[in-house]
Amino acid sequence: MARAIEVEQVTKRYRLGERADAYATLRATIARAFTPSPAPHREIYALRDVDLAVDEGEAVGVIGRNGAGKSTLLKILCRITAPTSGASRTRGRVGPLLEVGTGFHPELTGRENVYLNGTILGMSRRDIDRRFDDIVGFADVDRFLDTPLKRYSSGMYLRLAFAVAAHLDPEILVVDEVLAVGDAEFQEKCLGRMSSFRREGRTVVFVSHDLGAIGRLCERVVWLERGSVEADGPTRPVLDGYLRSVAPRSTRVDFAVEPERPVQLLSAFRTDESGVERDVVRRDEAMTLHFRFVARRPIPGLDVGVRLVSDDGVVVLDENLSDVEAERLGDSGEYEAAITVPPVLPAGTYVAHAWIGASSAGGLWRVFVDREALTVRLWPAASDGPESIARRRLVQPAVQWSVRPLGLEETRAGA
Amino acid sequence: MSRTTPERVQPDASRGVLVRPRKKARGVGWIENRPPGRIAGVHPRDLWAYRDLALFLALRDLQVRYKQTIFGVAWAVIQPLAGVAIFTFVFGRLVNVPSDGLPYPLFVYVGMIVWIYLSTAVNEAAQSLTEKSALVTKIYFPRILAPFAAALPGLVDLGISMVILGGFMAFYGIVPGVSALLFPAFVFALALVATGAGVWLAALNVQYRDVRYALPFLVQVWLFLSPVVYPTSLVDGAARYVFALNPLVGVIDGARWALLGAPPPGAAALVSLATGTALLVTGIVYFQRVERRFADVV
């Protein structure tokens, strides 16, 4: 497999305040030329000695906190800005998706914008002619083709912008947080298109805060930390390491009191099976999630639920009290609900959502609380090897193995 | 039971890459992004690869301009005609400026359309990068295409003005001679001058906010230093060569000679050609030197 991207010892230094400073006035520049010792600039390193090699057909996710240098790296890959030292090389056409609808102009019609945006993203006019119908069909805006873009709804705008991007034909697709805009359906469409890019053997570099999306799309992840590569390797372990560094350490969250709410979540915490709060709970131990809440007036039919969502967005558990208890709550006062999750989930990070609602006449639910309450981490079992941790699965209950020989043939030793 | 961790699938493939000689990996097709050198060259291949983009940017400006204005294309007609009316009254009637034996309105009209093209193109070019900051910070393209593209839309207006000129000339009974065939050459020279000034100003404008305020003043001064409302023949002898250091002198004189049969521009035109070329070349060099910092600054 051949290389598609090589980044060698790339350093990018910004002078602090360059933005404001460089747009200086001529007078200031002239004045500076006559000043004996110019004030030294404070400098920051957006990237420092970054090395990266990506093979053709690889999908690489780039993660890191804000300001870690992710976007700068993409800009250097796309040649939008030059490195201060080092070099980056790309082979093949680069499709830069650093925002949706780059160059869209509100006064122009949908048709005109498709051509403009397509050209800006590197398509030739003939490419666009050929794909025009596909693009319009994909965006589902055929009736508005000759309407100025400023009359489009934001949904139509996004669909059109994405449709153009989706019909690019780059060898290397560089995507920056595009998914942050748009609704779930739109994001799903984006991800779907990106995975099909992958299947076609193209190279994808994808920056996102959405670790779930990264996990689904990329087999390899680069974790940037203050401008340097902190980790670079198979997705799962790198994501785990990153999560461990950013996840809140507390096993308990207290919520601000909002007295005007009829029902309110007060606190959420996690314990082991025996009710002891512990930092580390392993996947082969049961854990108990506790929710304290208050009902400030009697609410007949009150019900409480919990939803556990894995870091790639999968709901792995969604249980209500009413699923197992016929008796409903109803009196006003403080409650503590606890749910014990048996040891079936693989190691990883899960977000526990708390839900409190009441059924009313006609089967309609009135929802009082539905929010992320707690981020819980399940650590690998003591016996888990690194290879086992790296494998992905939805559940990991204690299973029984049995192997019995059914008559062995003799094999050569060391074969 | 399927064990599809990527690293298990491709160990041989990745080993292959490591063994592969460097030479091959850097073969044709690699595009490099390195720190800018002291003198960066223009990359004609790069410019050619992005020609569609330049055209579309020009087209966009044109479309937007005509869509947002009430009179649309009519502005291309009204603007020079209004100029002609005012200048004919002030300079033709009140001051009695000579016009090389040509009807003054016709004389000044040719100067006006050249002038309007220049000032529009230079203004657009000067702001081409700062206005496109959304593009500059989001995609790569040879930045110099922005001021280049800014010189294109004005040509459409110029074309429209030419139609009116035809009517003017018919009205005054002036038939263009064979020299009219050379007119496109002067339009080309005009575009070069406008691009040269535009490239300089675009690069300066990214770095210095002053440019935006100095620009109207600069353009105004340039108007009065150019033979728009008066003929070059008012400048005598050696002074004419100094006068022709303004590259517009050769362009306007040449256009009047080609279309209206005014006195030929003579050797002074070569001076204009030289300064015009120098303006463009130095502009490109300067632009390339500061180009790589644009995305960090705009």
Side-chain angles (χ1 to χ4, degrees):
Chain A
M1 217 180 291
R3 284 280 164 79
I5 297 172
E6 287 183 351
V7 174
E8 264 174 31
Q9 292 290 301
V10 160
T11 295
K12 177 71 182 180
R13 190 178 61 218
Y14 286 104
R15 285 182 182 157
L16 213 53
E18 177 133 51
R19 235 162 235 277
D21 221 33
Y23 214 14
T25 60
L26 209 51
R27 195 186 60 186
T29 305
I30 294 167
R32 200 156 45 228
F34 291 101
T35 313
S37 59
H41 283 283
R42 282 179 59 210
E43 293 174 333
I44 53 159
Y45 284 83
L47 292 175
R48 204 191 279 266
D49 296 332
V50 169
D51 282 303
L52 177 66
V54 179
D55 288 337
E56 273 172 17
E58 245 188 319
V60 177
V62 180
I63 58 171
R65 288 165 231 253
N66 290 330
K70 307 183 295 287
S71 295
T72 305
L73 180 62
L74 292 200
K75 282 186 174 179
I76 285 175
L77 288 181
C78 298
R79 291 197 291 161
I80 292 164
T81 187
T84 307
S85 67
S88 99
R89 282 177 284 275
T90 48
R91 192 166 56 182
R93 263 168 307 166
V94 176
L97 283 187
L98 272 52
E99 68 177 358
V100 264
T102 307
F104 265 15
H105 199 294
E107 295 291 337
L108 300 182
T109 65
R111 181 191 309 275
E112 289 160 345
N113 270 304
V114 166
Y115 275 90
L116 184 67
N117 185 235
T119 317
I120 283 171
L121 293 176
M123 281 198 255
S124 72
R125 193 153 23 148
R126 220 170 326 137
D127 289 340
I128 306 173
D129 284 339
R130 202 149 33 86
R131 302 201 180 111
F132 189 80
D133 291 338
D134 291 343
I135 292 174
V136 172
F138 194 90
D140 200 17
V141 292
D142 9 357
R143 285 186 303 128
F144 304 97
L145 267 186
D146 296 306
T147 308
L149 203 64
K150 61 183 173 190
R151 305 210 196 291
Y152 277 38
S153 71
S154 60
M156 281 158 60
Y157 180 99
L158 272 182
R159 285 206 306 275
L160 186 65
F162 182 71
V164 179
H167 290 81
L168 282 176
D169 188 24
E171 274 92 35
I172 303 171
L173 189 69
V174 176
V175 188
D176 186 6
E177 211 62 91
V178 172
L179 301 170
V181 294
D183 52 15
E185 192 191 349
F186 175 76
Q187 299 189 359
E188 208 45 54
K189 223 171 171 180
C190 290
L191 267 183
R193 185 66 190 123
M194 278 161 71
S195 4
S196 69
F197 264 115
R198 273 220 54 200
R199 281 194 301 277
E200 291 157 17
R202 298 168 209 258
T203 313
V204 179
V205 178
F206 177 33
V207 162
S208 183
H209 283 111
D210 181 352
L211 302 184
I214 295 241
R216 280 165 58 190
L217 193 74
C218 308
E219 74 261 20
R220 177 178 155 200
V221 171
V222 173
W223 166 15
L224 290 177
E225 187 80 46
R226 269 173 270 131
S228 301
V229 177
E230 176 80 17
D232 176 358
T235 301
R236 201 57 204 221
V238 178
L239 283 187
D240 278 356
Y242 176 68
L243 280 171
R244 205 171 306 143
S245 87
V246 297
R249 304 235 171 267
S250 76
T251 53
R252 167 187 282 275
V253 178
D254 293 302
F255 299 96
V257 175
E258 296 166 279
E260 73 283 1
R261 289 179 179 272
V263 178
Q264 197 218 325
L265 197 61
L266 298 172
S267 66
F269 55 100
R270 181 191 67 172
T271 64
D272 63 12
E273 214 170 355
S274 55
V276 179
E277 282 187 52
R278 256 172 35 189
D279 281 344
V280 174
V281 174
R282 299 189 180 277
R283 67 159 186 85
D284 53 353
E285 299 174 286
M287 65 172 172
T288 303
L289 302 173
H290 304 255
F291 300 100
R292 289 213 174 132
F293 60 95
V294 57
R296 296 200 169 88
R297 52 181 168 79
I299 296 168
L302 198 64
D303 192 9
V304 55
V306 65
R307 194 164 71 244
L308 266 191
V309 182
S310 73
D311 58 11
D312 38 32
V314 178
V315 176
V316 292
L317 185 141
D318 190 355
E319 296 294 328
N320 279 12
L321 176 68
S322 57
D323 295 338
V324 289
E325 287 283 339
E327 189 82 14
R328 295 290 185 80
L329 316 170
D331 296 340
S332 62
E334 280 190 29
Y335 292 90
E336 177 176 320
I339 177 170
T340 298
V341 182
V344 291
L345 297 174
T349 304
Y350 300 87
V351 174
H353 296 251
W355 178 95
I356 302 169
S359 63
S360 56
L364 290 171
W365 285 95
R366 176 154 180 223
V367 177
F368 297 104
V369 173
D370 189 358
R371 62 179 295 172
E372 289 183 13
L374 199 60
T375 303
V376 295
R377 187 174 158 71
L378 276 180
W379 292 76
S383 59
D384 289 346
E387 196 278 332
S388 162
I389 295 170
R391 261 176 279 147
R392 313 216 65 182
R393 64 272 263 189
L394 275 177
V395 293
Q396 196 175 3
V399 293
Q400 298 292 323
W401 272 100
S402 72
V403 180
R404 63 192 168 93
L406 295 169
L408 296 178
E409 286 174 25
E410 203 166 318
T411 49
R412 281 185 299 128
Chain B
M1 200 53 229
S2 75
R3 305 190 160 185
T4 49
T5 322
E7 85 236 274
R8 305 176 119 254
V9 181
Q10 307 165 341
D12 293 329
S14 60
R15 200 177 305 139
V17 168
L18 291 174
V19 173
R20 188 187 292 270
R22 296 301 279 156
K23 199 177 60 165
K24 197 159 184 179
R26 295 202 189 183
V28 191
W30 284 96
I31 296 170
E32 220 174 24
N33 186 3
R34 282 189 167 281
R38 276 175 56 81
I39 298 171
V42 196
H43 311 289
R45 215 175 44 174
D46 219 14
L47 294 183
W48 181 245
Y50 281 87
R51 63 190 185 281
D52 275 357
L53 180 59
L55 280 176
F56 267 102
L57 288 180
L59 199 63
R60 177 179 83 162
D61 288 349
L62 202 64
Q63 285 170 325
V64 170
R65 188 139 55 96
Y66 286 141
K67 276 184 187 179
Q68 279 175 326
T69 55
I70 299 169
F71 292 115
V73 182
W75 279 117
V77 178
I78 295 167
Q79 218 186 344
L81 284 183
V84 165
I86 292 164
F87 287 140
T88 302
F89 175 68
V90 176
F91 296 103
R93 286 283 163 80
L94 297 184
V95 188
N96 236 340
V97 171
S99 53
D100 287 337
L102 293 164
Y104 190 82
L106 194 54
F107 170 86
V108 84
Y109 184 81
V110 171
M112 275 307 291
I113 58 178
V114 167
W115 174 250
I116 287 170
Y117 170 79
L118 184 98
S119 65
T120 315
V122 167
N123 265 310
E124 295 287 327
Q127 284 161 41
S128 58
L129 280 171
T130 40
E131 263 179 11
K132 290 184 178 58
S133 64
L135 279 191
V136 171
T137 55
K138 294 296 179 196
I139 57 156
Y140 169 79
F141 61 95
R143 309 302 185 202
I144 203 159
L145 283 180
F148 277 13
L152 295 178
L155 291 176
V156 175
D157 289 350
L158 190 63
I160 295 167
S161 313
M162 291 306 294
V163 177
I164 307 297
L165 179 67
F168 252 117
M169 288 169 70
F171 179 78
Y172 286 105
I174 291 179
V175 181
V178 189
S179 56
L181 293 176
L182 277 174
F183 179 68
F186 290 103
V187 173
F188 185 71
L190 171 63
L192 283 192
V193 173
T195 309
V199 165
W200 261 108
L201 290 167
L204 286 169
N205 193 20
V206 172
Q207 312 211 61
Y208 304 110
R209 205 180 276 271
D210 311 62
V211 171
R212 196 183 312 166
Y213 303 109
L215 197 59
F217 172 71
L218 198 86
V219 167
Q220 203 59 233
V221 170
W222 204 353
L223 167 67
F224 287 107
L225 286 179
S226 305
V228 174
V229 297
Y230 56 88
T232 307
S233 53
L234 285 185
V235 185
D236 282 334
R240 187 173 289 188
Y241 291 96
V242 179
F243 185 61
L245 283 175
N246 170 3
L248 261 200
V249 170
V251 171
I252 295 177
D253 287 352
R256 282 197 184 120
W257 165 70
L259 293 172
L260 307 178
L270 293 178
V271 176
S272 291
L273 185 64
T275 48
T277 313
L279 186 69
L280 181 62
V281 171
T282 53
I284 291 174
V285 170
Y286 177 68
F287 193 96
Q288 297 277 327
R289 275 187 57 182
V290 295
E291 169 178 12
R292 302 308 294 271
R293 286 182 51 222
F294 287 169
D296 303 341
V297 173
V298 166

